[in-house]
Amino acid sequence: MRLVFLICCTPFHVVSQNKTNPLPPQIIYVREPAATCPVVKTCCDDVQLVQSQVALILARLETLQRDKDVERDEWQKNRQSTDEETRRSIDELRLMLVRVEKEIVIRGQIVPQSVIERESFSLEDVRRLVVENIRRYDEDKTGEPDYALESSGATVISTRCSEDYKWGHSQLSLFGIPIPFTSWTTSPRLAIQPDMKPGQCWAFKGNQGYLVIKLTGDVHPTSFSLEHLPKNLSPTGKIDSAPKDFEVYGLVSEQGPGYILGTYTYEDNGQSLQNFQIKTKLYPEDTFSFVELRITSNHGHPEYTCLYRFRVHGLLVKRDE
């Protein structure tokens, strides 16, 4: 369009500057239709309109480019978030697979193919499952040996610096003379005995306590169980004296170094008997003769903490004679 305008309009300029000099024939031929050239006329009249249209198109292109950049940034952000979630899920599945493989190696148990292939259960199957769960409840509620059970040969070696809580330590007075009232404490041995009646627990002062247990032999641990009195059996309806955060260490000797096996939390709104899988990677040949339970907090009681029952599960490699 610009070339046409120059060619059509140039002859008029040349004529105005060269009135006495005749133009060459080819220039005259171009000049003659210039006055009636519709393209030139339309172009000259609408140049502002064209410029405004071009400006609008450029503005629209800039808007589209900005929108495209925003969408690309959002897509990249969502992709990064999705990738992180996927990596976390893969890591969790990998840890779960390692635990399952370890359990299979240690126990040597294989699920029967008939159970895997079964798609429905009959009334007899349900009855059998109920009986199995009742039997498991009778078998110390877990169906697993407890290598910290006193009647199986385990013993409490030490409570380190834990201070037993004294019950009934108030005083009477006679004629202004204080008379100590009978007080008593509970033994830490209660923590490795099966009795779960209210009050049959080891109570220690404050919210931090230690318990070192000599197991029934050399044990490859796989999990631990912590049991407290159920809320519906508590006289107050609360279990704020129950342990909350705790750690378990494996020891090869009473005074030897401890290897942390896991850090856990006992939920006061969960089941009264809670099981905790070992978190530290152990080889099949790793065994411990002692374990140390370190309670670091309770569920809010300001004076004492009660430990009802602590269990150690796993594989007994060598039994003490």
Side-chain angles (χ1 to χ4, degrees), residues 1 66 101 124 147 207 211 253 265 278 296:
M1 184 181 298
R66 285 196 301 268
E101 290 177 347
E124 180 64 23
Y147 299 110
N207 58 8
L211 186 67
S253 64
T265 299
I278 189 172
T296 58

Side-chain angles (χ1 to χ4, degrees), residues 11 43 95 110 120 191 200 202 228 242 270 273 285 298 314:
C43 175
L95 291 175
I110 301 176
S120 61
Q200 294 297 311
W202 173 46
H228 194 80
L273 174 61
E285 63 271 15
N298 64 19

